[in-house]
C-alpha cells in the first residue's frame, strides 16, 4: 500500500503527520508522502500514480473539485458536495470520497456532545469547507441550517446542492446573524475570519449574545487553537470547539476508506492528535510528478 497527499502547495499539509501516526499505530509499514501536483496536472498524476503503485491519496487545494470528472466512481455524499478529498484505487477504479463533512459531524458529537439531528444551526461561510459541513449537518437530520455568507450568491448556490432542502441561504449582516442565533443551538464558523494570516476579523461579536444558554460554537479553524470567536464565546459561557477534532476525524475516516475496513476511531484519533501535539514532521519525500 502506498499513500499520498497531493496539492499545490502541499508542504503545509498535516496529513503526512496524521496518517503516519495512524499507520504506525496499526503496525502498517506503508509510506504516506506529500506530492506537489499543480493545477492541470491531475490526468498526468493519476496515470503516474497507477503505474507507481499508489493505492490511495488525499487531495487538497486546488484539486478537490477538479478531480470529479477524472474519477471512475464518486461516493454520493462527495457528489452532492461537488468535491473529493480522498481517492482510493478499488478493483482498478479510482473512487472518490469526501470525509470533511462527516469529520465535522463526528467532531460535534465527540467534542460538544451534540447530535445535529433536530437542531437549528447557523453556519457562517459558503466556501469549500462550508459546503461539506452544511450538507453533512443537513444529511444528519438538522432541522434547519442557515447558511450566512458575505456573497449571497454563493450561499444560494450551496443551498441548491442540498438534497434534503434543509439548508437556507442568508446574508452576513450583524442584525441577520443576531436574529438567527436567537433560535439556534449551534453556530459553526466556516469562514476564514480569525484564521492565522487572515487580515480580516468579525466586526463585532454581538450575535453571540443572542445564542441560548447551552449553545455550542464550533470554529473550523485550528490555527490559532483559540480564535477570537471562540474566546468571546467562552467569555459568554457558551460551549466551544476548534477545528482540530474535525481535521483528525476526516483523516481517520479517509484511512478507513484507504484500508476499506472500519478502524477503532478513538484509538486512531488519539494517535493522530498526539502526533500533531508533539509537532511530528513527516515532510520528507516531497516529490514532483515527472
Ligand atoms: P474558502 O473556500 O476560501 O471560503 C472562505 C469563506 O470565508 C467564504 O465563505 C468567504 O466569503 C468567507 N470570507 C472570507 N473573508 C471574509 C470576510 N472578510 N468577511 C466575511 N466572509 C469572509 O475556504 P475554505 O476552504 O472553505 O476554508 C474556510 C475555513 O475553514 C478556513 O479557515 C480553513 O482553515 C478552515 N478549514 C478547516 C478544516 C478542518 O479540518 N478543521 C477543513 C477545511 C477548512 P465569500 O464567499 O463572500 O468570499
Amino acid at each position: 500500500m502506498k499513500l499520498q497527499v497531493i496539492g499545490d502547495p502541499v508542504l503545509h499539509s498535516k496529513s503526512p503527520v496524521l496518517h503516519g501516526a495512524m499507520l504506525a499505530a496499526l503496525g502498517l509499514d506503508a509510506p504516506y508522502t506529500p506530492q506537489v501536483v499543480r493545477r492541470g496536472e491531475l490526468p498526468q498524476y493519476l496515470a503516474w500514480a497507477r503505474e507507481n503503485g499508489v493505492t490511495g491519496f488525499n487531495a487538497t487545494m486546488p484539486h478537490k473539485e477538479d478531480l470529479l470528472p477524472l474519477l471512475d466512481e464518486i461516493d454520493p455524499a462527495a457528489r452532492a458536495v461537488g468535491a473529493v478529498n480522498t481517492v482510493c484505487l478499488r478493483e482498478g477504479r479510482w473512487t472518490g470520497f469526501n470525509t470533511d463533512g462527516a469529520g465535522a459531524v463526528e467532531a460535534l458529537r465527540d467534542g460538544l456532545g451534540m447530535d445535529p439531528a433536530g437542531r437549528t444551526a447557523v453556519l457562517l461561510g459558503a466556501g469549500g469547507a462550508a459546503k461539506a459541513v452544511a450538507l453533512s449537518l443537513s444529511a444528519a437530520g438538522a432541522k434547519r441550517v442557515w447558511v450566512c455568507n458575505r456573497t449571497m450568491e454563493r450561499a444560494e448556490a450551496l443551498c441548491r446542492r442540498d438534497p434534503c432542502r434543509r439548508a437556507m441561504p442568508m446574508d452576513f449582516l450583524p442584525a441577520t446573524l443576531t436574529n438567527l442565533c436567537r433560535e439556534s443551538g449551534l453556530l459553526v464558523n466556516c469562514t476564514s475570519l480569525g484564521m492565522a494570516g487572515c487580515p480580516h476579523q468579525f466586526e463585532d461579536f454581538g450575535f453571540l449574545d443572542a445564542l441560548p444558554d447551552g449553545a455550542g460554537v464550533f470554529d473550523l479553524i485550528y490555527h490559532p487553537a483559540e480564535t477570537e470567536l471562540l474566546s468571546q464565546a467562552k467569555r459568554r459561557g457558551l460551549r466551544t470547539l476548534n477545528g482540530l477534532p474535525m481535521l483528525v476525524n476526516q483523516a481517520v475516516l479517509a484511512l478507513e476508506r484507504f484500508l476499506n475496513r472500519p478502524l477503532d476511531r478513538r484509538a486512531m484519533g488519539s494517535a493522530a492528535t498526539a502526533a500533531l501535539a508533539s509537532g511530528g514532521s513527516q515532510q520528507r519525500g516531497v516529490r514532483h510528478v515527472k
Side-chain angles (χ1 to χ4, degrees), residues 136-259:
S136 287
L137 290 175
S138 176
K143 189 164 132 198
R144 174 68 70 223
V145 182
W146 296 109
V147 176
C148 306
N149 198 45
R150 177 180 62 175
T151 311
M152 186 70 180
E153 296 75 28
R154 288 186 89 189
E156 288 165 349
L158 187 164
C159 295
R160 277 197 296 274
R161 301 193 80 99
D162 179 18
C164 307
R165 300 272 171 258
R166 295 188 183 114
M168 297 291 282
M170 277 289 161
D171 61 55
F172 198 72
L173 298 172
T176 306
L177 302 187
T178 299
N179 280 336
L180 295 176
C181 280
R182 277 197 193 104
E183 47 169 290
S184 302
L186 174 65
L187 179 106
V188 186
N189 178 38
C190 304
T191 74
S192 39
L193 292 173
M195 185 176 73
C198 174
H200 304 290
Q201 183 52 275
F202 288 93
E203 280 168 26
D204 83 280
F205 292 92
F207 56 87
L208 291 173
D209 294 324
L211 285 167
D213 288 347
V217 178
F218 175 25
D219 198 332
L220 262 58
I221 294 169
Y222 50 84
H223 185 47
E226 185 171 297
T227 56
E228 188 58 26
L229 176 73
L230 291 188
S231 143
Q232 295 274 349
K234 262 188 194 165
R235 233 174 276 164
R236 288 162 168 85
L238 297 163
R239 298 152 72 200
T240 60
L241 183 71
N242 73 11
L244 199 62
M246 171 180 165
L247 181 76
V248 168
N249 285 337
Q250 63 76 30
V252 175
L253 296 172
L255 190 59
E256 286 190 343
R257 303 293 185 281
F258 291 143
L259 299 174

Side-chain angles (χ1 to χ4, degrees), residues 79-97:
R79 189 172 291 288
V81 174
V84 300
N85 72 339
T86 302
V87 179
C88 311
L89 199 57
R90 295 254 172 97
E91 292 165 2
R93 294 168 67 74
W94 289 119
T95 307
F97 302 90

Side-chain angles (χ1 to χ4, degrees), residues 6-10 35-45 60-63 66 286-289:
I6 65 164
D8 183 23
V10 75
Q35 173 124 8
V36 177
V37 175
R38 301 207 168 83
R39 192 184 281 283
E41 288 181 350
L42 281 174
Q44 204 185 350
Y45 171 72
T60 182
M61 265 175 54
H63 301 308
D66 294 353
V286 180
R287 310 176 60 159
H288 291 260
V289 181

Side-chain angles (χ1 to χ4, degrees), residues 1-6 33 35 37 41-58 67 71 87-89 94 287-290:
M1 187 173 65
K2 250 192 207 176
L3 302 169
Q4 296 203 305
V5 54
I6 65 164
T33 52
Q35 173 124 8
V37 175
E41 288 181 350
L42 281 174
Q44 204 185 350
Y45 171 72
L46 289 174
W48 177 91
R50 203 183 275 270
E51 271 168 30
N52 286 274
V54 173
T55 47
F57 61 90
N58 289 118
L67 269 164
L71 301 177
V87 179
C88 311
L89 199 57
W94 289 119
R287 310 176 60 159
H288 291 260
V289 181
K290 299 264 170 5

